[in-house]
Amino acid sequence: MGELERLRELSRENKSLKSVIEKSISIIQGCSSLEDTRDARIRILGRKGMITAVFEGISKMPEDERPAAGRAGNEFRTLVTALLEEKEKEIEASIHMESRELEGIDITLPGRCPPLGKKHILSKVIDDVVEIFISLGYSVETGPEVELDYYNFEALNTPAYHPARSLQDTFYVKRSDPEREEPDDILLRTHTSPVQIRVMESRKPPLYVISPGKAYRKDEIDATHTAMFFQVEGFAVDRGITMAQLKGTLEVFARKLFGSKRTVRLRPHFFPFTEPSAEVDVSCFACDGAGCSICKHSGWLEILGCGMIDPNVFSHVGYDPEEFSGFAFGMGIERIAMMKYGIEDMRYFYDDNIKFLSRF
Ligand code: PHE
């Protein structure tokens, strides 16, 4: 008969020992380390432990009961000591097993680090640009990439005869029912400017909005053109907005992105949806405007297109051009990333070459 069974029998035979026996069994069975068994030994067999208390109780019994109680107490001590030793052996054996499993393994070697993914360089530049405008109080809005002709062209004061609408430049999307005689009114947006219309249509000024996203053009793919690219659009509509505020805003932006010594200049340009319109250059961050290979010895780098929102645009969204004025700008993210990080070919962004992407 094992110690455990005999202990249980003993507790049935001696009602006065029942609780102390059960308690000691549960203490021993609950041990999971050698520290536990050391504590258990003290609690059960120690000088002030449970066994001592049992014998103190026996010494206070009537004389004729003491011999039997003493025998039971002694047996309890023997059994519980054996049970505890068994538990200790069991724990020692399992410690041995664990260390044998580790044999031949150098646990002091540094762990192997799996390669971590990171943000694509274009995502990082977009985030940087958007963050600058958020710090100026702009809110972020987005619009659909599959867009209606109305938002991409018509409402942006780009009439049907405008060359930008030609089939050569724009990806048109076929309607699902080819039998239906519908005009080509669905397209992949050619710029992020339609977001201007969508936001103005659904909200009232004051508006200070920044809008990153993809745009598509049927361009021949080369070092400076891809059929899909990223733009960030920005615009402000409020009472009394002037071109001076447009220039000041772009200067703050250019300094935050390219460094505090930068200046900007506006060159007259044309966009159908802004009047007057301009292209914006930033003084070359590589040569401080002295002229170098990055700025093709001009001292300036073109970063975006902009202008004052044309009153014809306001008329499409029901704003009174006598009450409100606004500016808008749009920039190509690949272009800005190429300048900032000295990348020579736009196609690198989309080649998924880990060696290239991990450079940034
Ligand atoms: N949408 C123009 C482009 O794609 C850029 C632009 C945006 C110009 C807003 C003026 C105002 O070239």
Side-chain angles (χ1 to χ4, degrees):
M1 194 189 292
E3 286 85 17
L4 197 54
E5 281 163 76
R6 178 62 196 138
L7 270 171
R8 294 227 163 93
E9 213 172 62
L10 196 64
S11 88
R12 281 195 294 275
E13 292 164 5
N14 299 268
K15 290 279 172 284
S16 62
L17 290 179
K18 188 175 186 312
S19 77
V20 70
I21 290 175
E22 267 162 20
K23 182 123 195 259
S24 59
I25 291 174
S26 96
I27 289 172
I28 293 169
Q29 287 183 333
C31 289
S32 57
S33 67
L34 292 178
E35 281 95 88
D36 289 348
T37 55
R38 206 176 307 132
D39 288 346
R41 188 174 281 280
I42 293 166
R43 279 178 72 188
I44 300 166
L45 301 168
R47 210 155 36 84
K48 291 176 188 156
M50 288 154 65
I51 299 271
T52 306
V54 165
F55 281 100
E56 269 165 15
I58 292 169
S59 70
K60 284 175 199 133
M61 283 179 176
E63 202 155 343
D64 57 330
E65 289 174 24
R66 273 187 232 158
R71 271 195 299 279
N74 280 330
E75 192 178 359
F76 170 43
R77 177 166 48 202
T78 313
L79 288 167
V80 95
T81 306
L83 194 65
L84 191 57
E85 275 164 9
E86 219 170 80
K87 189 74 188 175
E88 280 165 349
K89 283 204 190 100
E90 193 183 294
I91 290 170
E92 273 165 6
S94 78
I95 292 171
H96 249 80
M97 277 267 277
E98 273 172 38
S99 64
R100 199 150 354 109
E101 274 166 21
L102 285 175
E103 243 170 65
I105 296 172
D106 183 353
I107 59 167
T108 65
L109 279 176
R112 213 171 290 156
C113 199
L116 285 183
K118 56 178 171 183
K119 227 174 229 174
H120 192 283
I121 181 64
L122 289 178
S123 299
K124 187 181 147 25
V125 173
I126 291 169
D127 288 353
D128 289 349
V129 170
V130 168
E131 203 53 51
I132 290 169
F133 284 97
I134 287 175
S135 79
L136 296 176
Y138 285 57
S139 60
V140 181
E141 302 280 352
T142 54
E145 290 168 30
V146 180
E147 186 53 285
L148 290 169
D149 179 285
Y150 174 77
Y151 291 103
N152 195 80
F153 291 129
E154 189 75 34
L156 284 165
N157 200 32
T158 312
Y161 53 79
H162 194 279
R165 292 173 78 145
S166 95
L167 289 168
Q168 289 185 350
D169 301 320
T170 307
F171 289 108
Y172 285 89
V173 177
K174 280 208 174 69
R175 291 190 174 252
S176 54
D177 180 0
E179 296 303 308
R180 257 172 67 186
E181 285 283 318
E182 295 284 351
D184 279 334
D185 61 345
I186 303 178
L187 44 76
L188 301 185
R189 66 180 180 186
T190 60
H191 50 178
T192 44
S193 300
V195 178
Q196 290 182 34
I197 306 298
R198 287 186 174 273
V199 172
M200 286 194 252
E201 217 176 47
S202 62
R203 283 164 50 187
K204 292 268 157 283
L207 296 174
Y208 293 85
V209 172
I210 193 81
S211 180
K214 289 177 191 145
Y216 302 81
R217 280 179 208 172
K218 263 193 193 169
D219 279 326
E220 202 71 57
I221 292 166
D222 61 24
T224 52
H225 296 87
T226 52
M228 185 218 80
F229 53 97
F230 283 90
Q231 286 192 333
V232 173
E233 189 84 7
F235 58 98
V237 183
D238 207 339
R239 289 185 176 84
I241 295 267
T242 69
M243 198 146 182
Q245 290 164 358
L246 169 60
K247 189 179 181 191
T249 301
L250 294 176
E251 195 164 75
V252 168
F253 162 69
R255 287 183 178 157
K256 288 200 182 199
L257 195 66
F258 292 106
S260 56
K261 286 196 279 179
R262 303 279 67 82
T263 54
V264 295
R265 73 173 184 190
L266 273 62
R267 280 181 289 105
H269 198 72
F270 175 80
F271 295 106
F273 35 90
T274 47
E275 182 60 34
S277 303
E279 274 187 335
V280 176
D281 299 337
V282 59
S283 58
C284 180
F285 56 87
C287 63
D288 258 339
C292 68
S293 62
I294 291 182
C295 59
K296 301 201 182 77
H297 304 283
S298 71
W300 296 96
L301 296 163
E302 185 199 318
I303 55 166
L304 54 82
C306 67
M308 302 305 290
I309 297 175
D310 195 298
N312 282 339
V313 171
F314 285 149
S315 72
H316 277 99
V317 295
Y319 288 4
D320 178 2
E322 296 299 320
E323 188 180 0
F324 296 109
S325 59
F327 61 68
F329 55 86
M331 66 191 88
I333 291 300
E334 286 81 357
R335 239 192 96 73
I336 289 185
M338 285 166 83
M339 289 185 318
K340 192 166 172 185
Y341 294 98
I343 297 159
E344 322 78 59
D345 196 312
M346 200 160 153
R347 289 167 290 196
Y348 293 160
F349 292 123
Y350 300 107
D351 280 347
D352 281 350
N353 180 334
I354 298 288
K355 232 183 196 165
F356 167 79
L357 294 173
S358 58
R359 253 172 60 195
F360 309 101

